[in-house]
Amino acid sequence: MINPPASFRRTRWIVLGALAVFALVPVLVMLSSSLKPLRDVQGPFRWIPSTVTFRPYLDIWRTVPLGRYLVNSLIVAGGATVCSVLVAILAAYAVSRYRFRGRRMFTVTVLSTQMFPGILFLLPLFLIFVNVGNATGIPLYGSRGGLILTYLTFSLPFSIWMLVGYFDSIPRDLDEAALVDGCGPLQALVRIIVPAAVPGIVAVAVYAFMTAWGEVLFASVLTDDTTRTLAVGLQGYATLNDVYWNQVMAASLVVSVPVVAGFLLLQRYLVAGLTAGAVK
Protein backbone atom coordinates (compact mmCIF):
# COMPACT_ATOMS: atom_id res chain seq x y z
CA MET A 1 0.00 0.00 0.00
CA ILE A 2 1.40 3.37 -1.07
CA ASN A 3 1.45 5.99 1.68
CA PRO A 4 0.17 9.43 0.63
CA PRO A 5 2.67 12.30 0.73
CA ALA A 6 3.06 14.35 3.90
CA SER A 7 1.49 17.44 2.29
CA PHE A 8 -1.65 15.47 1.47
CA ARG A 9 -1.91 14.16 5.02
CA ARG A 10 -1.52 17.64 6.48
CA THR A 11 -4.14 19.04 4.12
CA ARG A 12 -6.49 16.21 4.99
CA TRP A 13 -6.18 16.84 8.72
CA ILE A 14 -6.70 20.58 8.23
CA VAL A 15 -9.85 20.02 6.17
CA LEU A 16 -11.21 17.42 8.58
CA GLY A 17 -10.44 19.66 11.54
CA ALA A 18 -12.24 22.60 9.92
CA LEU A 19 -15.27 20.42 9.19
CA ALA A 20 -15.28 19.12 12.77
CA VAL A 21 -15.18 22.65 14.16
CA PHE A 22 -17.95 23.71 11.77
CA ALA A 23 -20.14 20.82 12.96
CA LEU A 24 -19.36 20.89 16.69
CA VAL A 25 -19.45 24.64 17.44
CA PRO A 26 -23.27 24.91 17.07
CA VAL A 27 -23.70 21.87 19.33
CA LEU A 28 -21.44 23.40 21.98
CA VAL A 29 -23.37 26.68 21.77
CA MET A 30 -26.64 24.77 22.27
CA LEU A 31 -25.21 22.82 25.20
CA SER A 32 -23.82 25.94 26.88
CA SER A 33 -27.06 27.90 26.41
CA SER A 34 -29.21 25.03 27.68
CA LEU A 35 -27.36 25.06 31.02
CA LYS A 36 -27.91 28.77 31.69
CA PRO A 37 -30.78 30.69 33.27
CA LEU A 38 -32.81 32.67 30.76
CA ARG A 39 -31.33 36.03 31.86
CA ASP A 40 -27.80 34.77 31.10
CA VAL A 41 -28.81 33.52 27.67
CA GLN A 42 -30.31 36.90 26.80
CA GLY A 43 -27.11 38.68 27.86
CA PRO A 44 -23.64 38.58 26.27
CA PHE A 45 -22.71 35.07 25.22
CA ARG A 46 -20.20 33.14 27.33
CA TRP A 47 -18.95 29.69 26.53
CA ILE A 48 -18.76 28.67 30.19
CA PRO A 49 -21.98 29.47 32.11
CA SER A 50 -21.52 31.58 35.22
CA THR A 51 -24.47 29.73 36.75
CA VAL A 52 -25.08 26.13 35.72
CA THR A 53 -28.66 24.91 35.97
CA PHE A 54 -30.52 21.89 34.68
CA ARG A 55 -33.87 23.60 35.16
CA PRO A 56 -34.42 24.10 31.40
CA TYR A 57 -34.33 20.31 30.86
CA LEU A 58 -37.22 19.99 33.34
CA ASP A 59 -39.18 23.01 32.12
CA ILE A 60 -39.22 21.91 28.47
CA TRP A 61 -41.82 19.25 29.30
CA ARG A 62 -44.16 21.77 30.99
CA THR A 63 -43.85 24.85 28.79
CA VAL A 64 -45.14 22.90 25.77
CA PRO A 65 -46.51 19.32 25.55
CA LEU A 66 -43.15 18.04 24.33
CA GLY A 67 -43.94 14.45 25.27
CA ARG A 68 -46.97 14.41 22.98
CA TYR A 69 -44.96 15.96 20.16
CA LEU A 70 -42.25 13.34 20.68
CA VAL A 71 -44.77 10.49 20.46
CA ASN A 72 -46.30 11.99 17.31
CA SER A 73 -42.89 12.32 15.67
CA LEU A 74 -41.92 8.75 16.55
CA ILE A 75 -45.19 7.36 15.17
CA VAL A 76 -45.09 9.44 11.99
CA ALA A 77 -41.39 8.93 11.26
CA GLY A 78 -41.54 5.24 12.16
CA GLY A 79 -44.67 4.64 10.08
CA ALA A 80 -43.23 6.48 7.08
CA THR A 81 -40.01 4.49 7.40
CA VAL A 82 -41.72 1.10 7.55
CA CYS A 83 -44.04 1.87 4.64
CA SER A 84 -41.23 3.33 2.55
CA VAL A 85 -38.97 0.32 3.12
CA LEU A 86 -41.66 -2.27 2.34
CA VAL A 87 -42.89 -0.57 -0.83
CA ALA A 88 -39.36 0.26 -2.00
CA ILE A 89 -38.21 -3.36 -1.59
CA LEU A 90 -41.06 -4.71 -3.72
CA ALA A 91 -40.77 -2.01 -6.38
CA ALA A 92 -36.97 -2.14 -6.58
CA TYR A 93 -36.99 -5.95 -6.83
CA ALA A 94 -39.43 -5.82 -9.74
CA VAL A 95 -37.39 -3.17 -11.57
CA SER A 96 -34.09 -4.93 -10.91
CA ARG A 97 -35.06 -8.50 -11.73
CA TYR A 98 -37.76 -8.23 -14.40
CA ARG A 99 -37.90 -6.68 -17.85
CA PHE A 100 -41.35 -5.30 -18.64
CA ARG A 101 -42.89 -2.69 -20.89
CA GLY A 102 -42.58 0.77 -19.39
CA ARG A 103 -39.73 -0.18 -17.07
CA ARG A 104 -37.48 2.66 -18.19
CA MET A 105 -40.36 5.13 -18.16
CA PHE A 106 -41.21 4.08 -14.60
CA THR A 107 -37.62 4.64 -13.48
CA VAL A 108 -37.42 8.05 -15.15
CA THR A 109 -40.77 9.09 -13.69
CA VAL A 110 -39.74 8.05 -10.19
CA LEU A 111 -36.51 10.05 -10.39
CA SER A 112 -38.17 13.07 -12.03
CA THR A 113 -40.36 13.61 -8.97
CA GLN A 114 -37.23 14.60 -7.05
CA MET A 115 -36.80 17.63 -9.32
CA PHE A 116 -39.77 19.55 -7.93
CA PRO A 117 -39.69 21.53 -4.68
CA GLY A 118 -41.88 20.24 -1.88
CA ILE A 119 -43.85 23.47 -1.53
CA LEU A 120 -45.26 22.85 -5.02
CA PHE A 121 -47.26 19.91 -3.64
CA LEU A 122 -48.44 21.58 -0.44
CA LEU A 123 -51.69 23.09 -1.69
CA PRO A 124 -52.68 20.10 -3.89
CA LEU A 125 -52.13 17.67 -0.99
CA PHE A 126 -54.08 19.90 1.37
CA LEU A 127 -57.04 20.04 -1.03
CA ILE A 128 -56.89 16.30 -1.70
CA PHE A 129 -56.84 15.46 2.01
CA VAL A 130 -59.75 17.79 2.77
CA ASN A 131 -61.87 16.55 -0.15
CA VAL A 132 -61.14 12.88 0.62
CA GLY A 133 -62.13 13.48 4.24
CA ASN A 134 -65.39 15.17 3.21
CA ALA A 135 -66.25 12.48 0.68
CA THR A 136 -65.28 9.33 2.57
CA GLY A 137 -64.98 10.34 6.20
CA ILE A 138 -61.34 9.22 6.29
CA PRO A 139 -59.51 11.87 8.36
CA LEU A 140 -56.35 12.53 6.35
CA TYR A 141 -56.02 16.22 7.19
CA GLY A 142 -54.87 16.74 10.76
CA SER A 143 -54.04 13.06 11.24
CA ARG A 144 -50.88 11.07 11.63
CA GLY A 145 -51.89 8.80 8.76
CA GLY A 146 -52.13 11.72 6.35
CA LEU A 147 -48.68 12.93 7.37
CA ILE A 148 -47.24 9.43 6.96
CA LEU A 149 -48.73 9.24 3.47
CA THR A 150 -47.25 12.66 2.65
CA TYR A 151 -43.75 11.72 3.76
CA LEU A 152 -44.04 8.42 1.91
CA THR A 153 -44.50 10.24 -1.38
CA PHE A 154 -41.22 12.12 -0.85
CA SER A 155 -39.00 9.35 0.51
CA LEU A 156 -40.22 6.55 -1.76
CA PRO A 157 -38.71 7.70 -5.11
CA PHE A 158 -35.16 7.98 -3.76
CA SER A 159 -35.60 4.77 -1.76
CA ILE A 160 -36.61 2.83 -4.88
CA TRP A 161 -33.74 4.25 -6.88
CA MET A 162 -31.22 3.41 -4.17
CA LEU A 163 -32.45 -0.18 -3.73
CA VAL A 164 -32.53 -0.81 -7.48
CA GLY A 165 -28.81 -0.07 -7.62
CA TYR A 166 -28.17 -2.30 -4.61
CA PHE A 167 -30.28 -5.20 -5.93
CA ASP A 168 -28.46 -4.95 -9.28
CA SER A 169 -25.20 -5.58 -7.43
CA ILE A 170 -26.52 -8.87 -6.00
CA PRO A 171 -25.77 -11.79 -8.39
CA ARG A 172 -28.82 -13.21 -10.14
CA ASP A 173 -27.42 -16.68 -9.52
CA LEU A 174 -28.79 -16.43 -5.99
CA ASP A 175 -32.32 -15.96 -7.33
CA GLU A 176 -31.93 -18.82 -9.77
CA ALA A 177 -30.58 -21.14 -7.07
CA ALA A 178 -33.55 -20.30 -4.85
CA LEU A 179 -35.99 -20.99 -7.70
CA VAL A 180 -34.32 -24.33 -8.41
CA ASP A 181 -34.71 -25.24 -4.73
CA GLY A 182 -38.45 -24.70 -5.00
CA CYS A 183 -38.85 -21.11 -3.83
CA GLY A 184 -41.21 -18.75 -5.56
CA PRO A 185 -40.23 -15.20 -6.53
CA LEU A 186 -41.58 -13.76 -3.27
CA GLN A 187 -39.87 -16.43 -1.17
CA ALA A 188 -36.60 -15.81 -3.01
CA LEU A 189 -36.94 -12.12 -2.25
CA VAL A 190 -37.64 -12.65 1.46
CA ARG A 191 -35.19 -15.48 2.12
CA ILE A 192 -32.29 -14.62 -0.19
CA ILE A 193 -32.33 -11.06 -1.51
CA VAL A 194 -33.47 -9.18 1.60
CA PRO A 195 -30.82 -10.74 3.93
CA ALA A 196 -28.14 -9.97 1.33
CA ALA A 197 -29.37 -6.39 0.95
CA VAL A 198 -29.50 -5.44 4.64
CA PRO A 199 -27.02 -2.53 4.29
CA GLY A 200 -29.02 -1.02 1.44
CA ILE A 201 -32.30 -1.45 3.29
CA VAL A 202 -30.85 0.16 6.41
CA ALA A 203 -29.63 3.12 4.33
CA VAL A 204 -33.13 3.55 2.92
CA ALA A 205 -34.68 3.30 6.39
CA VAL A 206 -32.31 5.94 7.82
CA TYR A 207 -33.01 8.27 4.90
CA ALA A 208 -36.79 7.89 5.24
CA PHE A 209 -36.69 8.36 9.01
CA MET A 210 -34.54 11.49 8.90
CA THR A 211 -36.68 12.96 6.11
CA ALA A 212 -39.82 12.59 8.23
CA TRP A 213 -38.23 13.47 11.58
CA GLY A 214 -37.05 16.97 10.72
CA GLU A 215 -39.67 18.07 8.17
CA VAL A 216 -41.40 21.35 9.01
CA LEU A 217 -43.36 22.66 6.01
CA PHE A 218 -45.98 19.93 5.64
CA ALA A 219 -46.14 19.21 9.37
CA SER A 220 -47.02 22.84 10.07
CA VAL A 221 -49.94 22.81 7.61
CA LEU A 222 -51.31 19.25 7.69
CA THR A 223 -51.40 18.77 11.49
CA ASP A 224 -53.41 20.22 14.38
CA ASP A 225 -52.74 20.63 18.10
CA THR A 226 -53.13 16.90 18.81
CA THR A 227 -50.98 15.59 15.93
CA ARG A 228 -48.26 18.26 15.85
CA THR A 229 -44.71 16.92 15.56
CA LEU A 230 -41.49 18.00 17.25
CA ALA A 231 -40.21 20.06 14.34
CA VAL A 232 -43.28 22.29 14.58
CA GLY A 233 -43.82 22.00 18.33
CA LEU A 234 -40.49 23.64 19.13
CA GLN A 235 -42.03 26.92 17.99
CA GLY A 236 -44.11 26.85 21.17
CA TYR A 237 -41.16 28.08 23.20
CA ALA A 238 -41.51 31.47 21.49
CA THR A 239 -44.38 33.51 22.92
CA LEU A 240 -45.62 37.02 22.23
CA ASN A 241 -43.71 38.34 25.23
CA ASP A 242 -40.52 36.31 25.29
CA VAL A 243 -38.49 33.50 23.77
CA TYR A 244 -37.24 30.81 26.14
CA TRP A 245 -33.90 30.33 24.43
CA ASN A 246 -32.46 28.06 27.09
CA GLN A 247 -35.44 25.74 26.78
CA VAL A 248 -35.24 25.86 22.99
CA MET A 249 -31.64 24.72 23.14
CA ALA A 250 -32.38 22.04 25.73
CA ALA A 251 -35.33 20.70 23.73
CA SER A 252 -33.29 20.72 20.52
CA LEU A 253 -30.62 18.58 22.17
CA VAL A 254 -33.19 16.18 23.63
CA VAL A 255 -35.02 15.63 20.34
CA SER A 256 -31.71 15.08 18.54
CA VAL A 257 -30.83 12.09 20.70
CA PRO A 258 -32.93 9.46 18.81
CA VAL A 259 -31.53 10.48 15.42
CA VAL A 260 -27.91 10.69 16.59
CA ALA A 261 -28.10 7.40 18.48
CA GLY A 262 -29.70 5.60 15.55
CA PHE A 263 -27.16 7.01 13.12
CA LEU A 264 -24.22 5.92 15.28
CA LEU A 265 -25.64 2.41 15.71
CA LEU A 266 -26.35 1.97 12.00
CA GLN A 267 -23.41 3.92 10.60
CA ARG A 268 -21.54 0.95 9.14
CA TYR A 269 -24.67 -0.34 7.41
CA LEU A 270 -25.46 3.13 6.11
CA VAL A 271 -22.02 3.60 4.53
CA ALA A 272 -22.11 0.13 2.97
CA GLY A 273 -25.62 0.69 1.63
CA LEU A 274 -24.76 4.03 0.03
CA THR A 275 -21.59 2.75 -1.66
CA ALA A 276 -22.34 -0.88 -2.57
CA GLY A 277 -24.62 -0.08 -5.47
CA ALA A 278 -22.09 2.24 -7.09
CA VAL A 279 -19.56 -0.48 -7.92
CA LYS A 280 -20.71 -3.80 -9.33
Side-chain angles (χ1 to χ4, degrees):
M1 182 176 180
I2 301 176
N3 292 326
S7 58
F8 175 81
R9 293 197 299 269
R10 286 194 298 268
T11 304
R12 180 177 59 186
W13 281 111
I14 292 174
V15 173
L16 292 177
L19 292 176
V21 170
F22 182 78
L24 292 178
V25 166
V27 178
L28 295 177
V29 171
M30 293 170 59
L31 180 61
S32 175
S33 300
S34 67
L35 297 175
K36 298 176 182 178
L38 182 59
R39 63 179 183 275
D40 292 347
V41 179
Q42 295 174 337
F45 177 76
R46 295 180 180 179
W47 286 100
I48 301 177
S50 57
T51 303
V52 176
T53 177
F54 292 94
R55 187 75 184 179
Y57 288 91
L58 301 176
D59 293 338
I60 58 175
W61 306 98
R62 293 190 290 264
T63 303
V64 301
L66 190 65
R68 185 175 66 202
Y69 298 156
L70 179 60
V71 171
N72 290 337
S73 290
L74 289 174
I75 293 175
V76 170
T81 300
V82 172
C83 294
S84 181
V85 169
L86 292 178
V87 176
I89 287 175
L90 297 175
Y93 182 72
V95 173
S96 175
R97 289 302 192 260
Y98 296 98
R99 298 296 180 266
F100 52 88
R101 181 177 298 179
R103 175 178 176 271
R104 182 177 296 275
M105 180 61 67
F106 172 79
T107 304
V108 173
T109 303
V110 166
L111 287 178
S112 64
T113 59
Q114 301 294 100
M115 298 166 49
F116 302 99
I119 195 172
L120 188 66
F121 303 99
L122 182 59
L123 182 59
L125 281 173
F126 174 79
L127 296 177
I128 290 173
F129 285 178
V130 172
N131 291 329
V132 169
N134 294 334
T136 65
I138 301 176
L140 292 179
Y141 172 74
S143 67
R144 297 166 178 165
L147 203 57
I148 290 174
L149 184 61
T150 301
Y151 293 153
L152 181 62
T153 61
F154 290 101
S155 62
L156 194 56
F158 182 77
S159 300
I160 294 175
W161 176 79
M162 183 185 298
L163 282 183
V164 167
Y166 198 94
F167 286 170
D168 286 343
S169 66
I170 298 176
R172 295 178 181 270
D173 296 342
L174 296 178
D175 305 56
E176 297 174 357
L179 295 176
V180 170
D181 290 340
C183 292
L186 187 59
Q187 289 178 316
L189 170 63
V190 174
R191 296 183 178 182
I192 305 300
I193 303 302
V194 169
V198 168
I201 295 173
V202 170
V204 167
V206 172
Y207 168 77
F209 186 87
M210 295 183 66
T211 299
W213 185 262
E215 202 278 327
V216 176
L217 177 63
F218 289 90
S220 62
V221 176
L222 301 179
T223 59
D224 53 24
D225 292 338
T226 59
T227 58
R228 191 162 294 158
T229 59
L230 282 171
V232 181
L234 291 178
Q235 299 176 3
Y237 294 106
T239 64
L240 295 176
N241 300 321
D242 210 344
V243 179
Y244 301 102
W245 288 111
N246 54 348
Q247 296 185 38
V248 172
M249 299 302 176
S252 299
L253 289 173
V254 170
V255 302
S256 300
V257 170
V259 177
V260 174
F263 181 83
L264 293 177
L265 290 174
L266 302 174
Q267 182 180 10
R268 61 190 183 95
Y269 295 105
L270 180 62
V271 174
L274 292 174
T275 58
V279 180
K280 301 180 182 179

